[in-house]
Amino acid sequence: MRNCCSLSGPSVGAIGVTPFLVKTLSDPIQQHRQRLSAWFSCLPTEERHFGPSFALDSIHIDPVIRESSPEDILRPLSELTWQAQLQSPLCPQSMSVSQLFQPNAAGKPIRSVVLYGTVGTGKSTLIRKLVLDWCHGRKSEFQLIIPLSCEDLSQVTAPISLTRLIGKKYVHLRELLPTMQHYSGVLFILNSLEWMNLDFRMACTELCSDPNEPMPPAAILVNLLRGYLLPEANVLVTTRPSALSRIPRKYTGRFAEICGFSDMELQKMYFHLRLGHRDADPRETENLAEMLSRNLEHHSQLAAACFLPSYCWLTCATLHLLYYAKPDESPMTLTGIYTTFLRLNFAGEVLDITHPSKISLMLYVARTVGKLAYEGCNSRRTKFTESDITKCFHLQMNSEEELNLLNVFRSDAFRFFLTPCVQPGQESFFVFTIPAMQEYLAALYVVLGENKTALQRLGKELSEVISKAGEDVMAIVNVLSKFLPLRIFTLFNLLRVVPRLYGRVSGQSRENIAQMMTAEMFREEDSYNDDVLDQISYSILGLEGPLQPAEEDNYGRQEAFELYPIFMAGLLSRQNRAMLNQLGCTIMNMDALKITSALKKHLLKRSLRRLPPSELMDFLFFLYEFQNPSFSAVLVNSLRDLDLSTVRMTPIKCNVVAAVIGGTGKLLTDADLSSCHLDPDAIHTLAPVLWRCQNVNLHMNALGPDSCREIKELLLHPDCAISSLRLCNNPLEPEGAQLIVEGLAGNSSLKYLSLLRTDLGDEGAEILANNLGKNKNLQELNLAYNGIHDQAALRLGEVASRHPTLSRVHLYFNELSDSGLRDLQSMGDVRVIVSLTEGSDASRHWSLILRELKANAGGWDQARMGAHLTLLLRDLQSSRAMTGNLWRKVRILRVETEVKRMLSRIQGGKL
């Protein structure tokens, strides 16, 4: 991964070294170590979005390096197929960084080393680690290391001497420069040589051994590599493979290739170090690392992707988004992570510095690989043949210059995006190294407007030509207007119409983009899939239990295409457009505005439909990726309720819901968050949404007493609108009941509260009885299935009978005796629901009791539930025998039939 810091070194002020410290560091080399250490320890700003800053010493894993021969690396790519290019043997013999300058097999000393690797293999990171090791005294073989950035040197136009260049970059070394040629153990690091167009011909670059003589920077590098300038110094060059031919073989002592993490154990080591930062829960980190390790072993395609250290970084960054999002922080978007990832690897990168076009590497990728990704998404394919790739790169149509660009891309970046499929029997196919990158590049291809037909491209070119011609012609016509008939001017005025017509056609293409985004977002066959955030998690961590090959392939298809419209939305956000501009991929503000306007119209029509929970989560995630609050507010206002039941609400999902809905002030009728794996942090994050909902369902979330603190704050919020709160099937316990009643004491909106099966017991019932009078608005309280006995139940019934508004209390499925049941049924004005019978008749609330039973049966103890139903059935039969009223017998018999049916289903394990 490329370092965002230049390797050219800063001034004293740039790294913040205090004057006192500078005075104490009298040794120039010690000052040099101090400044390089401060500079190279600086991590990219993007790292801080994923948690605390990481020291390179603590997270770095050296990639595999192997020595190679010129015959291996200078073979023309035109002789290889796309498939054969990627099937070279992976690093049969490896070496360490410390062995780079050791004598070769013949015992000849090595002066210069060329370290090369494709994009993403970790060249710049390895150099940073090498420099830091020297700064900390761990590289004693070199007395002095001088890093120089070829990217910076390529911008220097005036001649400059080597001593002047070093003195300008490293002020503290100036006093050493007059005698530097006599130093031994000096290492020059020339990073990213592909930025320099070197010419080793004597007629073009003259020999120079004087470090004080001004010359072009390219000539300085040529003489350093020749060994004519500072012959005792060592030189380490890093470059992409395409620039290797610029250095003659005789001036290179060793070629070494960075092979990435070709060993799976290196991948695992990286993940353990990267995920285990100091703010993370050690148990969660260990669990994530273990799941990831198992998936690497099971999912060979993922292991193949993590061959590139940069993709390991992307994997860890994605896991940070999914699992380490803080409740009070606004995390990056998924599109932002992918755009940042590409900026770290490609920012400022030109495909070929020697080519006149100077096209950015990322723009070339968007036009070529993006086209392949786009066609794959349209045809619902994730695997591609060699002919598919050839077609997208237009091999049969390219000029000589275009073929040269293609060869540079093949050698430097092709493997970064595409790799052979590792599934048995499908080795001849190519897949995207990271599946989600297909959707990202397809989305980028669309929003850049590259998906034009040949006619549209021709129309644009003609429009530009005619528009320019029209300006020139009209200037002449204005002069001749006094001498020519008026009818002739009609013909010339048509020249002005053509650009306007093309503008309308272009506007229609933006309308088509909006239609495509909407259609992809609401595809009916994807409606009942897992939401995309879970799909991403599964693709990295795997699913529990093995998948059959057919299921695995089908799962991959679902995951591949639901991110496509979400990435399109994310790429239109202002932040991502700014980063893309740095990559050479410009999305015009006017284009983004017109797409957004058209998209709003289409989405308003589709979002009014009731969406399944996972699809609603995807829609909210779509709006979150857009990062346009006013746009989101318009669409959120069309929502009447929030049904996310059974969606696994991870920290990032809670942040998404809170950011999209919480900031709009939207009042919702219902919020169903049952079976969502909520925890206290989730309740805290979702609070701005929940207290604006009338009916809140938090059923079956394993919420404990700690969560009740957050629920208490919800109820005490001055603008709380909650009128119905369902907390059933959560282990609240008496401690939680205490917090709930404290919230009730200051709440004026709540009318219905369900604490069904919340492990309150007698202690919890007593707490409610002692504090229930402090609330003056509650109308219905459900305490069924809580292990409450007669005394506590009667105490609660007495308090309820004196409550000014409470009219109904549910106490069925508790540990009540027959006498306790009769006493509760004879309470005053309060209706205490305790059984399916009332004396010799069926209870008026029997359907309510059985409905609650069906709704909650999935999380209840089946044996205990069966025992309760058996007792209720006995009561029904007894009541039927006691009554002589035929209509009552019929009603009771109907209830008996329903209970028997339920008992039968419980015993058969079907309820």
Side-chain angles (χ1 to χ4, degrees):
M1 182 163 298
R2 299 180 67 247
N3 180 19
C4 72
C5 303
S6 169
L7 294 179
S8 58
S11 64
V12 172
I15 58 175
V17 179
T18 64
F20 173 77
L21 182 58
V22 173
K23 291 179 181 178
T24 60
L25 296 173
S26 57
D27 182 3
I29 294 182
Q30 275 304 110
Q31 292 184 42
H32 188 55
R33 290 179 190 267
Q34 182 73 25
R35 284 158 175 76
L36 282 183
S37 176
W39 183 247
F40 280 80
S41 296
C42 175
L43 291 175
T45 305
E46 288 80 2
E47 290 281 4
R48 288 188 281 274
H49 288 289
F50 312 124
S53 297
F54 298 93
L56 191 61
D57 287 342
S58 65
I59 65 167
H60 181 72
I61 300 294
D62 281 330
V64 173
I65 302 172
R66 74 172 176 98
E67 187 171 2
S68 60
S69 65
E71 290 75 20
D72 293 336
I73 59 181
L74 298 178
R75 183 180 179 185
L77 287 175
S78 57
E79 299 178 9
L80 298 173
T81 64
W82 296 92
Q83 193 76 28
Q85 178 188 339
L86 302 182
Q87 291 180 338
S88 56
L90 287 177
C91 312
Q93 294 180 348
S94 61
M95 61 192 309
S96 65
V97 178
S98 60
Q99 295 174 317
L100 289 176
F101 287 94
Q102 289 184 358
N104 61 17
K108 182 179 178 180
I110 299 296
R111 178 183 175 270
S112 59
V113 174
V114 174
L115 188 65
Y116 70 95
T118 57
V119 175
T121 48
K123 299 184 296 297
S124 295
T125 303
L126 191 71
I127 293 303
R128 288 179 59 214
K129 183 64 167 56
L130 171 64
V131 172
L132 286 174
D133 283 346
W134 177 77
C135 292
H136 300 153
R138 294 193 287 266
K139 291 290 179 186
S140 57
E141 61 266 36
F142 300 113
Q143 187 177 359
L144 178 64
I145 289 182
I146 302 177
L148 296 173
S149 168
C150 293
E151 183 177 355
D152 290 347
L153 292 178
S154 68
Q155 306 303 314
V156 179
T157 55
I160 188 172
S161 68
L162 178 60
T163 54
R164 171 64 178 155
L165 178 65
I166 296 173
K168 187 177 179 181
K169 299 293 183 182
Y170 305 104
V171 179
H172 43 279
L173 293 181
R174 284 180 177 175
E175 62 184 83
L176 292 179
L177 296 179
T179 60
M180 188 177 65
Q181 56 187 325
H182 304 299
Y183 270 73
S184 60
V186 177
L187 173 65
F188 284 91
I189 297 178
L190 308 178
N191 194 53
S192 301
L193 189 73
E194 65 271 6
W195 280 94
M196 302 295 292
N197 189 13
L198 304 183
D199 193 337
F200 280 78
R201 292 174 297 178
M202 301 290 286
C204 297
T205 307
E206 63 179 10
L207 294 176
C208 179
S209 60
D210 183 3
N212 297 307
E213 181 176 340
M215 64 184 87
I220 294 176
L221 300 191
V222 167
N223 281 287
L224 271 176
L225 290 167
R226 281 173 175 165
Y228 201 73
L229 183 63
L230 300 180
E232 300 300 323
N234 292 103
V235 181
L236 174 61
V237 175
T238 70
T239 184
R240 301 197 313 237
S242 62
L244 288 172
S245 59
R246 300 177 196 173
I247 308 175
R249 172 70 181 88
K250 62 182 178 180
Y251 298 128
T252 303
R254 173 173 284 141
F255 287 97
E257 179 184 8
I258 298 184
C259 298
F261 293 152
S262 58
D263 184 353
M264 192 183 295
E265 292 305 316
L266 291 178
Q267 300 171 10
K268 292 180 180 179
M269 289 172 60
Y270 181 92
F271 289 133
H272 272 86
L273 291 174
R274 182 80 195 193
L275 295 174
H277 62 83
R278 63 177 180 270
D279 282 0
D281 183 345
R283 291 173 299 179
E284 182 176 26
T285 297
E286 186 61 31
N287 183 47
L288 286 178
E290 179 62 27
M291 292 178 68
L292 185 52
S293 295
R294 288 202 304 266
N295 201 33
L296 283 172
E297 296 169 359
H298 169 71
H299 194 347
S300 49
Q301 197 70 60
L302 177 64
C306 291
F307 153 82
L308 292 172
S310 58
Y311 273 127
C312 291
W313 182 94
L314 178 61
T315 298
C316 289
T318 306
L319 287 175
H320 273 278
L321 174 75
L322 295 177
Y323 292 97
Y324 294 111
K326 300 294 183 183
D328 298 316
E329 294 179 355
S330 178
M332 286 188 69
T333 63
L334 183 66
T335 314
I337 287 179
Y338 273 76
T339 309
T340 295
F341 167 69
L342 292 172
R343 183 173 69 171
L344 287 171
N345 284 280
F346 296 100
E349 290 280 358
V350 174
L351 181 59
D352 185 2
I353 196 68
T354 65
H355 194 274
S357 69
K358 300 294 188 295
I359 185 173
S360 79
L361 179 53
M362 195 60 224
L363 182 57
Y364 185 85
V365 168
R367 290 175 175 174
T368 53
V369 186
K371 181 180 181 182
L372 182 72
Y374 170 73
E375 293 185 354
C377 287
N378 277 355
S379 59
R380 292 322 193 229
R381 288 186 300 146
T382 57
K383 298 182 179 66
F384 306 93
T385 63
E386 185 133 352
S387 62
D388 293 329
I389 297 175
T390 302
K391 180 181 177 182
C392 284
F393 282 88
H394 297 292
L395 289 184
Q396 70 278 10
M397 298 171 60
N398 285 354
S399 65
E400 181 67 23
E401 289 185 344
E402 290 171 332
L403 283 173
N404 290 337
L405 286 178
L406 177 59
N407 284 332
V408 172
F409 170 76
R410 287 182 66 173
S411 64
D412 291 353
F414 175 61
R415 190 163 193 175
F416 188 88
F417 296 101
L418 291 161
T419 189
C421 183
V422 298
Q423 292 183 8
Q426 302 192 34
E427 292 83 357
S428 62
F429 287 94
F430 292 88
V431 295
F432 276 82
T433 309
I434 290 291
M437 190 61 75
Q438 178 180 348
E439 298 97 305
Y440 181 93
L441 292 178
L444 182 60
Y445 184 78
V446 171
V447 296
L448 283 175
E450 295 293 335
N451 60 325
K452 295 184 177 72
T453 63
L455 182 61
Q456 288 175 324
R457 294 179 188 278
L458 180 63
K460 181 180 180 182
E461 295 173 3
L462 285 175
S463 174
E464 292 174 352
V465 171
I466 293 174
S467 178
K468 189 173 188 317
E471 294 174 1
D472 297 337
V473 170
M474 290 310 296
I476 298 172
V477 168
N478 288 335
V479 176
L480 301 175
S481 60
K482 297 180 179 180
F483 309 101
L484 296 175
L486 293 176
R487 286 177 293 178
I488 296 178
F489 290 105
T490 305
L491 177 63
F492 289 112
N493 283 330
L494 291 176
L495 297 174
R496 295 179 175 178
V497 175
V498 173
R500 294 176 188 172
L501 290 176
Y502 179 77
R504 292 189 178 182
V505 173
S506 179
Q508 185 60 40
S509 69
R510 300 183 189 109
E511 176 82 15
N512 293 340
I513 292 174
Q515 288 178 344
M516 182 191 304
M517 291 173 68
T518 306
E520 291 289 339
M521 188 67 230
F522 294 99
R523 288 182 62 86
E524 292 184 2
E525 58 266 37
D526 297 336
S527 297
Y528 294 95
N529 294 340
D530 290 320
D531 61 81
V532 293
L533 287 168
D534 273 353
Q535 291 179 32
I536 297 168
S537 176
Y538 296 153
S539 68
I540 297 175
L541 302 177
L543 291 165
E544 293 299 326
L547 286 176
Q548 297 298 324
E551 293 175 344
E552 185 175 13
D553 182 63
N554 185 53
Y555 167 74
R557 286 170 58 85
Q558 295 170 355
E559 189 270 339
F561 306 124
E562 288 191 77
L563 274 174
Y564 177 34
I566 291 173
F567 276 140
M568 279 192 269
L571 289 171
L572 290 172
S573 72
R574 181 178 57 83
Q575 299 92 325
N576 285 317
R577 284 190 286 120
M579 284 193 283
L580 287 170
N581 192 51
Q582 297 171 17
L583 289 166
C585 300
T586 302
I587 301 172
M588 305 302 291
N589 290 332
M590 186 58 68
D591 289 341
L593 179 62
K594 290 183 177 179
I595 294 171
T596 301
S597 299
L599 183 62
K600 186 184 298 184
K601 176 181 64 177
H602 291 291
L603 285 179
L604 275 173
K605 295 177 181 177
R606 301 295 294 270
S607 63
L608 292 174
R609 303 179 184 178
R610 186 175 182 87
L611 301 173
S614 61
E615 192 78 355
L616 176 59
M617 186 68 242
D618 286 348
F619 180 57
L620 295 177
F621 188 49
F622 175 92
L623 296 178
Y624 177 77
E625 290 286 313
F626 215 107
Q627 291 290 289
N628 188 329
S630 60
F631 178 87
S632 299
V634 172
L635 294 167
V636 166
N637 281 332
S638 66
L639 294 176
R640 302 187 64 180
D641 52 38
L642 181 69
D643 182 5
L644 296 174
S645 57
T646 71
V647 172
R648 188 171 60 97
M649 294 300 294
T650 57
I652 179 60
K653 293 179 191 177
C654 294
N655 276 309
V656 166
V657 174
V660 174
I661 298 180
T664 63
K666 168 71 174 176
L667 294 175
L668 297 173
T669 303
D670 297 292
D672 189 349
L673 292 163
S674 58
S675 303
C676 287
H677 304 271
L678 299 179
D679 58 20
D681 286 341
I683 300 295
H684 178 79
T685 305
L686 293 169
V689 177
L690 295 179
W691 57 258
R692 289 193 178 99
C693 296
Q694 292 180 338
N695 305 309
V696 177
N697 184 2
L698 302 178
H699 161 79
M700 204 173 290
N701 274 296
L703 299 175
D706 290 343
S707 302
C708 293
R709 299 183 186 279
E710 299 298 336
I711 295 170
K712 169 187 169 182
E713 296 303 319
L714 276 180
L715 295 174
L716 292 177
H717 194 281
D719 297 321
C720 179
I722 302 174
S723 62
S724 172
L725 177 60
R726 295 176 62 86
L727 295 171
C728 39
N729 294 290
N730 290 295
L732 304 183
E733 302 178 352
E735 183 183 349
Q738 180 62 50
L739 294 166
I740 294 296
V741 294
E742 291 174 10
L744 284 174
N747 177 273
S748 59
S749 65
L750 195 65
K751 302 294 188 294
Y752 173 79
L753 174 63
S754 176
L755 300 176
L756 180 147
R757 194 176 177 262
T758 50
D759 298 340
L760 299 183
D762 291 339
E763 183 181 353
E766 290 287 350
I767 290 173
L768 285 167
N770 293 333
N771 294 274
L772 204 54
K774 298 177 182 177
N775 175 278
K776 307 300 182 184
N777 301 281
L778 195 65
Q779 297 177 1
E780 188 168 353
L781 177 63
N782 192 333
L783 296 174
Y785 208 137
N786 268 296
I788 301 173
H789 293 80
D790 289 358
Q791 184 175 353
L794 289 169
R795 168 95 170 97
L796 190 64
E798 291 171 358
V799 172
S801 65
R802 296 193 296 270
H803 194 278
T805 59
L806 194 61
S807 61
R808 185 181 295 174
V809 178
H810 302 245
L811 286 172
Y812 40 88
F813 295 150
N814 279 297
E815 308 301 324
L816 302 174
S817 65
D818 291 341
S819 60
L821 289 173
R822 288 192 296 271
D823 291 341
L824 287 168
Q825 288 176 339
S826 62
M827 286 287 174
D829 296 332
V830 176
R831 173 66 63 181
V832 180
I833 307 171
V834 291
S835 178
L836 295 174
T837 61
E838 293 179 6
S840 59
D841 198 358
S843 170
R844 287 177 295 173
H845 306 288
W846 69 268
S847 59
L848 183 151
I849 296 174
L850 295 183
R851 186 170 63 247
E852 288 281 2
L853 177 64
K854 289 179 182 177
N856 297 278
W860 287 6
D861 180 358
Q862 299 289 300
R864 185 179 178 187
M865 186 167 57
H868 276 294
L869 281 175
T870 301
L871 290 174
L872 291 175
L873 183 60
R874 186 198 64 184
D875 290 343
L876 287 168
Q877 291 170 343
S878 175
S879 296
R880 180 162 55 87
M882 289 171 54
T883 184
N885 188 301
L886 180 60
W887 292 113
R888 288 184 179 181
K889 286 181 181 289
V890 171
R891 279 199 299 268
I892 294 174
L893 189 59
R894 179 187 174 191
V895 180
E896 282 184 48
T897 303
E898 288 292 328
V899 173
K900 287 178 180 178
R901 185 179 293 116
M902 279 193 173
L903 270 173
S904 176
R905 295 184 66 189
I906 289 172
Q907 292 166 359
K910 298 179 181 179
L911 189 61

